[in-house]
Amino acid sequence: MDDLRPSGVAGSPSLVSLFPPGLHAIYGECRRLYPEQPNPLQVTAIVKYWLGGPDPLDYVSMYRNLGTPTANVPEHWHYVSFGLSDLYGDNRVHEYTTADSPSGFGFELTFRLKREAGESAPPTWPAELMQGLARYVFQSENTFCSGDHVSWHSPLDNSESRIQHMLLTEDPQMQPVQTPFGVVTFLQIVGVCTEELHAAQQWNGQGILDLLRSVPVAGGPWLITDMRRGETIFEIDPHLQQERVDKGIETDGSNLSGVSAKCAWDDLSRPPDDEDDSRSICIGTQPRRLSGKDAEQIKETLRRGLEINIKPILPPISAQRHNGMNHDRAPSRKDSLESESSAAIIPHELIRTRQLESVHLKFNQESGTLIPLCLRGRLLHGRHFTYKSITGDTAITFVSTGVEGAFATEEHPYAAHGPWLQILLTEEFVERMLEDVEDLTSEELKLPKEYSWPEKKLKISILPDTEFDNPLH
């Protein structure tokens, strides 16, 4: 259980010198911003992580920031984490590398919450939220970057708020610090509505962050989260959707190159239980790989842990823990395309690449709603898009004719390498598919829903979530 107490040592000259160097460096940056608050309230982990406790963050400090009302920066609470970076340098938590490398995971989290009138002390729920994010990072070894978006699917403070997801950006005040154990940057959590998250997925996170900065009540220049905000930026200013987001998607496409999802695929070229793949054509014992740039982009997107499953990508804090571990967690980096345990997905000489004549793709509804994004925002811009199953090694990568190095070709548009399926779609076929799947984003879509292109020997089914609870999928 976390403990709330004043830090008691942050401003004490006799004790500051006793701080571990990594901890001292972050405190120094906090003291630079808040010299008048040497002893902030902190949420601390009673049992430290290296002693078997469940919470990776040693501390979360909470400061009162007066803001700058004339610059549309309201008074707010400023939260700063301690523990994602290497605080100690003795391998108790993080493996020490060099002073020039990232310290630990290379960052700490911050959060700015609008102060309510009459509020004399900061709420502690943001510290719990930060612990949840930190647990995800430690368990998955996925790091966060500015512009990342996090699907949470629940009000961040467990209220009735519309703020149910997060974007991440650089903290506007805290500067990167150099510690003896490496460099630490500060990533700020920004609470957003579902519609804003979807816009970030369709376009890009940085673009939506810029829009939030331009709307004072939605964040303003310092992107301060107001849990009482009842309108999205698109409801506040309807022109933002058409003039900025839609135009951005048309011009730039989407920078979302993959998601973890509830998905599956079947080879309709042969009977379902036929283990003999003699009907499939081997395209060589050394199959072509995606180009380094494309493969790295797929890995990077999946590394960031982007999830769209019905459960929160990063599980909210639960009062019930099992042996200090929260078992309802997001997939780890070891489940991604660069995985050692998922080697069947990665092309190598021991697995044959098979040409398929006909395929059946299966998605849950939330995954299916991203198919238009995949087609319009990625393939029509000469890019690729990957669905990675959250329950196993299955992956589906759509590629356009402009993607180099794919093992799917125009002559053989469906090709599988182990459980990794690649589908090459021409621009003409993409345009046709967009017309046919136009209703995918409708809230009235009735499941199951099937789309079929017999002459292309391609079928897509949108199925209820329960279909993917079956281990056969």
Side-chain angles (χ1 to χ4, degrees), residues 68-384:
T68 309
T70 56
N72 292 317
V73 179
E75 187 173 352
H76 59 278
W77 304 108
H78 191 193
Y79 301 76
V80 182
S81 76
F82 292 77
L84 284 160
S85 63
D86 190 352
L87 304 178
Y88 304 99
D90 58 6
N91 293 320
R92 73 177 73 178
V93 178
H94 299 282
E95 181 179 351
Y96 173 65
T97 50
T98 67
D100 295 330
S101 64
S103 171
F105 289 106
F107 68 96
E108 294 289 353
L109 293 169
T110 73
F111 185 64
R112 294 176 185 267
L113 177 67
K114 184 178 179 182
R115 177 177 174 268
E116 300 293 339
E119 207 169 42
S120 59
T124 59
W125 64 261
E128 294 288 282
L129 184 76
M130 295 165 89
Q131 287 284 15
L133 292 170
R135 272 197 290 275
Y136 166 76
V137 172
F138 272 78
Q139 291 168 355
S140 69
E141 298 182 4
N142 294 330
T143 58
F144 292 128
C145 300
S146 179
D148 281 356
H149 32 95
V150 178
S151 303
W152 193 265
H153 296 285
S154 178
L156 303 187
D157 60 353
N158 293 317
S159 68
E160 299 299 319
S161 174
R162 292 185 71 177
I163 308 300
Q164 301 188 8
H165 307 280
M166 292 166 271
L167 299 180
L168 291 156
T169 189
E170 297 91 350
D171 188 283
Q173 285 188 296
M174 302 195 72
Q175 301 298 315
V177 296
Q178 176 69 59
T179 81
F181 315 132
V183 179
V184 183
T185 59
F186 297 91
L187 284 180
Q188 180 177 318
I189 300 163
V190 181
V192 296
C193 303
T194 298
E195 294 83 352
E196 293 154 358
L197 173 81
H198 289 166
Q201 291 176 330
Q202 298 282 333
W203 183 24
N204 62 67
Q206 294 291 359
I208 300 305
L209 287 164
D210 287 342
L211 296 185
L212 289 165
R213 289 187 183 98
S214 71
V215 180
V217 298
W222 288 8
L223 293 169
I224 295 165
T225 299
D226 180 2
M227 294 303 296
R228 296 196 177 190
R229 174 160 68 97
E231 293 181 300
T232 71
I233 54 174
F234 308 115
E235 292 167 336
I236 296 169
D237 185 351
H239 296 291
L240 291 178
Q241 178 70 50
Q242 183 175 4
E243 296 178 3
R244 297 291 298 277
V245 178
D246 292 346
K247 186 176 180 180
I249 295 171
E250 180 181 353
T251 303
D252 307 328
S254 171
N255 71 347
L256 180 62
S257 62
V259 293
S260 295
K262 291 187 175 181
C263 63
W265 62 270
D266 290 333
D267 177 6
L268 300 183
S269 310
R270 60 183 182 180
D273 297 325
D274 184 6
E275 295 299 330
D276 180 8
D277 60 2
S278 59
R279 297 179 60 186
S280 301
I281 299 175
C282 179
I283 311 180
T285 57
Q286 295 285 345
R288 292 181 298 154
R289 294 175 179 266
L290 283 171
S291 66
K293 179 180 178 181
D294 289 321
E296 186 57 34
Q297 187 175 5
I298 292 174
K299 292 178 183 179
E300 177 67 12
T301 301
L302 295 175
R303 180 187 65 77
R304 294 182 182 184
L306 187 62
E307 304 289 336
I308 56 171
N309 53 305
I310 193 65
K311 294 182 180 179
I313 168 182
L314 309 174
I317 305 301
S318 172
Q320 183 178 5
R321 297 190 177 103
H322 303 276
N323 299 322
M325 298 297 292
N326 189 325
H327 295 279
D328 181 19
R329 65 178 183 89
S332 72
R333 182 166 56 186
K334 290 190 168 73
D335 295 325
S336 77
L337 295 184
E338 62 183 339
S339 160
E340 295 178 1
S341 63
S342 302
I345 292 180
I346 305 176
H348 59 77
E349 64 276 10
L350 298 180
I351 301 177
R352 296 202 303 167
T353 299
R354 298 178 291 118
Q355 169 201 330
L356 311 181
E357 297 177 5
S358 178
V359 294
H360 181 195
L361 311 182
K362 303 174 184 179
F363 302 96
N364 74 334
Q365 185 169 2
E366 194 166 6
S367 304
T369 60
L370 291 181
I371 291 176
L373 176 154
C374 162
L375 301 175
R376 181 179 292 111
R378 297 294 298 178
L379 269 63
L380 286 184
H381 289 264
R383 301 170 186 169
H384 54 76

Side-chain angles (χ1 to χ4, degrees), residues 5-13 15-16 19 26-42 61-64 82:
R5 62 181 67 180
S7 62
V9 295
S12 170
L15 291 178
V16 164
F19 274 19
I26 300 174
Y27 267 127
E29 179 62 11
C30 293
R31 288 197 302 274
R32 181 184 69 81
L33 292 183
Y34 302 105
E36 77 290 353
Q37 300 179 58
N39 300 313
L41 283 175
Q42 288 185 326
S61 288
M62 302 177 286
Y63 296 91
R64 183 170 178 173
F82 292 77

